[in-house]
Amino acid sequence: MAFQDFGLLSERRKAERKQKLKKRITIGVAVGFILFILVASGVMIVSKSKDNNSNNKNQNDGDGNGNGNGNKNEGESSSSNDIAKWSKAIKMICAPTDYRKACVSSLSKVENNSSYSASRPLDLLKAAITVIVDEVGKAVDTSSRFKFSNPAEKDAFEDCKVLLADAKEELLDSISQVGNGTNVKNLPTKSHDLNNWLSAVISYQQTCIDGFPDGDLKSKMQKTLDSVRKLTSNALAIVSEVNSFFSVLQVPGFGGHRRLMGHQEKLTTTTSSSSLTTQYDEDGLPIWMSLEHRRMLRGKGASSKPKPNAVVAKDGSGQFKTISEALLAMPKAYTGRYVIYVKQGMYDETVTVTKNMVNVTMYGDGSRKTIVTGNKNFVDGVRTFQTASFVALGEGFIGQAMGFRNTAGPQKHQAVALRVQADRSIFLNCRMEGYQDTLYAQTHRQFYKSCVISGTVDFIFGDATAIFQNCLILIRKPLDNQQNIVTAQGRVDKRETTGIVLQNCRIQPDTDLEPVKANFKNYLGRPWKEYSRTIVMESTIGDLIHPDGWLPWQGDFALNTLFYAEYNNKGPGASLSARVKWPGYKVITKKEAQLYTVEPFLQSNWIKATGTPVKVGFFA
């Protein structure tokens, strides 16, 4: 019985344990269920909170779609935030552009590129320029597949390859100047360079297109470069507003909404030495010059005759008989200023100072004694771009006491004596002689002092940022059916910082025109391109200039968009009473004219450092 009793007890205990276990399981399930409910509720609360935060963020971004996801992990959330920041920054930086859709689209393509970050303010500016490089490459690839129906089209394409290569090189220089993605404090000092290079890129594109004869292929080339043009214009707009943009982002060193690098407004902000493009040493000489060059400039200026590295003489008394030979002998890795003395003589050769030949000084025995001459011209089948007797491409070129001539004559139409693409180039006491298109001031910053320029139609033309100071402008006798026009400035985009300034010059008839000047109409300029910009100030204008002053190009083309201005001129041709009434023509005040003096328009230290006499402000 004992065992039976024990068995009964055991069964009862088993039953009790089962009951307790069942109770525990029930309690556990209940507790688990409650915990599940609590956890689920917590997840929902967190999820809702994240959704609300996401909605608020999207609303701040101008997008109320509310795409927040509470199930994202921390890495995904961080990535999402970076993309959101990049998108917001793109919208801000594209706001001032004229082609916003192209701006947003191009910059959005690089938002996943690890090389760029929204936390590095300059990355957007670098990206905006980088995408242009890519588009230039695409344009070259596309145009290389064109079918050419005649030699003129093929030759024009060859010019385009050179011009677009120059554009790409200067875009890469621009990217390099922007520098480190976080180093924004030095950007204001680089603004002039960036505007200069980007303006040149636009000019190269237009020169490429202009080289094609009218027809389908020219239209195709224009269409191919359309994206490049828009993106370059956008980049100029971004540069002009970058100060305001960084201010909004609260980048140290950028306050207020002052425009540093805009169109005409930016010029008022670059008059102090603290905002110059180039950095200078204690003697006021640019640090981009070699030590040897700076030592030379401390003792000798451009107005003197420095010791030459090479001497050219037609009579054999020098090291070389031609200028081209002397240039070819220039050492490839020369780091100083290379000086070439060209003795008296008539040098009938096509001379090119290439882009690799930087800091070349070339001087002669006088502008009527040392003369480079040629007669290439448009009528004989040479494109205007290739007609120049002398071409200066290398940065820092200085020409002194030399003559540049094209003898093709008025009947041959476009015939360039001198083409200048060289940045920071100076011509002192030189003479440029021709008829139509004598001086092609193509691109970049150029300064002409005490020079003589003669011609007939559009004889000072191009899209450079150029000041002619104390120059003699001689208008020659044209063909019987022609009118004379002094300037034809080629600014194609309102963002470009280019223009032609004639300051303290004399405009008068040459000896061949003087006796018959009443038989011809003569004008200060006409708009070659839509945003043509020319300023004539403090100059003496002869009686041969038509009372209208300025001539339309064709119909009402560019009359609303050009900027032609006069200030404080004198002489019988300076009367303003009958001047044109175009919206783009202005009689400006001294304050407005100040924008186009040497200091704000060109930055003057690079000129003064060479010893060239320069007036940085007004003459009176």
Side-chain angles (χ1 to χ4, degrees):
M1 291 289 295
F3 290 103
Q4 185 179 12
D5 289 340
F6 180 80
L8 290 173
L9 182 60
S10 296
E11 288 297 322
R12 188 165 59 247
R13 286 179 177 174
K14 286 181 181 180
E16 288 174 353
R17 284 198 295 268
K18 280 185 179 181
Q19 188 67 26
K20 287 180 180 179
L21 180 61
K22 185 176 180 181
K23 187 175 181 179
R24 288 173 182 169
I25 291 173
T26 301
I27 292 171
V29 170
V31 171
F33 181 75
I34 292 171
L35 288 173
F36 173 79
I37 294 297
L38 292 173
V39 170
S41 298
V43 169
M44 291 175 67
I45 291 169
V46 172
S47 177
K48 185 174 182 180
S49 175
K50 287 187 176 181
D51 282 347
N52 288 337
N53 288 339
S54 179
N55 284 337
N56 290 335
K57 184 179 186 306
N58 287 329
Q59 287 170 0
N60 290 335
D61 288 349
D63 181 353
N65 294 327
N67 293 321
N69 188 340
N71 293 322
K72 288 186 177 181
N73 61 38
E74 185 177 348
E76 291 172 337
S77 178
S78 176
S79 176
S80 176
N81 288 338
D82 286 344
I83 293 174
K85 287 180 182 178
W86 185 263
S87 298
K88 184 176 181 178
I90 288 174
K91 290 178 183 178
M92 289 175 61
I93 207 166
C94 288
T97 64
D98 292 328
Y99 308 100
R100 293 186 189 180
K101 184 177 180 180
C103 180
V104 172
S105 175
S106 62
L107 292 180
S108 296
K109 292 177 182 177
V110 299
E111 68 182 2
N112 293 321
N113 189 326
S114 60
S115 299
Y116 303 103
S117 171
S119 63
R120 297 195 299 266
L122 287 182
D123 278 6
L124 272 172
L125 180 55
K126 291 176 70 174
I129 301 173
T130 301
V131 295
I132 309 173
V133 178
D134 296 337
E135 288 300 319
V136 169
K138 292 177 185 177
V140 172
D141 291 341
T142 300
S143 58
S144 65
R145 295 191 290 270
F146 286 173
K147 302 297 182 183
F148 307 109
S149 58
N150 55 63
E153 291 179 343
K154 175 64 175 175
D155 291 342
F157 172 69
E158 293 302 318
D159 286 346
C160 279
K161 288 197 296 185
V162 173
L163 288 160
L164 294 179
D166 288 343
K168 186 173 182 179
E169 179 181 338
E170 291 178 26
L171 286 167
L172 293 174
D173 285 342
S174 300
I175 294 170
S176 175
Q177 278 291 302
V178 173
N180 185 281
T182 57
N183 185 16
V184 300
K185 292 184 178 180
N186 292 329
L187 187 60
T189 66
K190 300 173 182 177
S191 63
H192 214 269
D193 286 334
L194 291 172
N195 279 317
N196 167 55
W197 288 325
L198 291 170
S199 295
V201 169
I202 289 181
S203 180
Y204 293 144
Q205 299 165 38
Q206 190 60 47
T207 304
C208 165
I209 295 166
D210 288 343
F212 283 90
D214 291 338
D216 291 341
L217 198 62
K218 184 173 185 175
S219 298
K220 286 178 67 177
M221 194 71 224
Q222 190 165 8
K223 184 177 180 181
T224 299
L225 289 173
D226 187 60
S227 179
V228 180
R229 177 184 63 84
K230 290 178 178 177
L231 292 177
T232 309
S233 176
N234 285 344
L236 277 167
I238 291 169
V239 170
S240 72
E241 298 290 344
V242 75
N243 184 60
S244 297
F245 173 66
F246 288 156
S247 178
V248 171
L249 292 181
Q250 297 181 338
V251 176
F254 288 82
H257 296 276
R258 178 172 56 89
R259 294 185 178 185
L260 281 179
M261 301 164 257
H263 166 39
Q264 292 174 25
E265 300 92 331
K266 68 96 185 176
L267 296 170
T268 60
T269 69
T270 57
T271 56
S272 67
S273 60
S274 62
S275 52
L276 294 174
T277 304
T278 308
Q279 299 298 312
Y280 300 89
D281 66 13
E282 64 277 7
D283 295 309
L285 300 177
I287 61 173
W288 54 264
M289 293 180 176
S290 69
L291 290 174
E292 178 185 347
H293 180 207
R294 277 182 272 165
R295 281 196 298 269
M296 182 187 80
L297 291 177
R298 287 187 183 101
K300 295 182 178 181
S303 57
S304 63
K305 292 185 176 182
K307 181 180 178 181
N309 298 92
V311 177
V312 181
K314 287 184 68 67
D315 61 7
S317 60
Q319 298 157 276
F320 307 95
K321 288 188 175 182
T322 69
I323 300 171
S324 297
E325 289 173 344
L327 287 169
L328 286 173
M330 180 178 173
K332 300 295 182 183
Y334 196 82
T335 56
R337 178 160 284 275
Y338 197 77
V339 181
I340 300 175
Y341 167 41
V342 186
K343 289 188 175 182
Q344 178 176 340
M346 189 75 68
Y347 295 85
D348 189 356
E349 56 177 309
T350 300
V351 178
T352 300
V353 180
T354 68
K355 292 196 75 173
N356 294 327
M357 299 173 182
V358 299
N359 294 332
V360 171
T361 290
M362 190 177 296
Y363 68 90
D365 286 323
S367 64
R368 290 180 178 270
K369 295 180 179 180
T370 300
I371 300 171
V372 180
T373 188
N375 63 0
K376 293 181 181 179
N377 62 84
F378 183 77
V379 171
D380 289 346
V382 182
R383 299 170 310 288
T384 304
F385 181 70
Q386 299 287 4
T387 60
S389 304
F390 191 101
V391 180
L393 305 179
E395 181 178 358
F397 178 81
I398 297 175
Q400 181 186 343
M402 292 185 65
F404 307 94
R405 181 181 293 174
N406 191 310
T407 61
Q411 69 279 2
K412 295 293 187 176
H413 298 287
Q414 295 95 328
V416 177
L418 172 66
R419 175 164 69 90
V420 184
Q421 183 182 314
D423 192 20
R424 295 191 181 101
S425 54
I426 296 172
F427 291 85
L428 176 63
N429 298 324
C430 289
R431 193 177 188 95
M432 300 83 176
E433 298 177 290
Y435 287 87
Q436 182 169 349
D437 292 359
T438 302
L439 172 57
Y440 189 0
Q442 185 185 350
T443 57
H444 295 305
R445 293 162 287 197
Q446 305 178 16
F447 180 67
Y448 299 80
K449 179 75 174 185
S450 301
C451 292
V452 178
I453 306 107
S454 66
T456 56
V457 180
D458 306 334
F459 62 95
I460 301 175
F461 77 109
D463 194 24
T465 306
I467 291 183
F468 297 80
Q469 199 171 88
N470 198 38
C471 291
L472 177 60
I473 312 298
L474 296 176
I475 301 178
R476 306 179 78 172
K477 181 183 177 182
L479 297 175
D480 289 341
N481 62 343
Q482 287 183 325
Q483 303 175 97
N484 286 321
I485 306 100
V486 175
T487 66
Q489 205 277 330
R491 187 163 163 258
V492 297
D493 189 282
K494 67 181 180 182
R495 306 286 184 179
E496 288 184 79
T497 54
T498 60
I500 290 174
V501 178
L502 306 181
Q503 184 185 20
N504 198 44
C505 294
R506 285 181 294 149
I507 303 172
Q508 63 187 53
D510 204 351
T511 53
D512 63 344
L513 180 63
E514 177 63 42
V516 293
K517 63 185 179 183
N519 299 334
F520 299 93
K521 292 182 178 180
N522 308 281
Y523 299 89
L524 296 173
R526 62 173 178 167
W528 181 29
K529 300 299 179 184
E530 188 174 3
Y531 293 93
S532 181
R533 178 160 61 182
T534 302
I535 297 90
V536 181
M537 60 186 189
E538 297 190 294
S539 295
T540 302
I541 304 176
D543 62 358
L544 75 168
I545 294 298
H546 192 280
D548 287 352
W550 308 83
L551 181 70
W553 185 269
Q554 185 175 17
D556 61 357
F557 169 75
L559 302 188
N560 293 317
T561 52
L562 59 78
F563 183 80
Y564 286 169
E566 294 183 61
Y567 168 72
N568 198 28
N569 296 310
K570 57 187 177 181
S575 174
L576 302 173
S577 59
R579 285 293 195 255
V580 295
K581 306 302 181 184
W582 307 337
Y585 170 75
K586 310 290 181 184
V587 178
I588 57 177
T589 65
K590 185 172 185 177
K591 182 178 179 181
E592 291 169 322
Q594 175 68 38
L595 302 176
Y596 304 100
T597 56
V598 170
E599 179 62 35
F601 199 58
L602 284 181
Q603 307 288 289
S604 63
N605 277 31
W606 62 272
I607 302 171
K608 291 187 289 186
T610 65
T612 301
V614 56
K615 188 74 172 179
V616 297
F618 292 108
F619 283 82

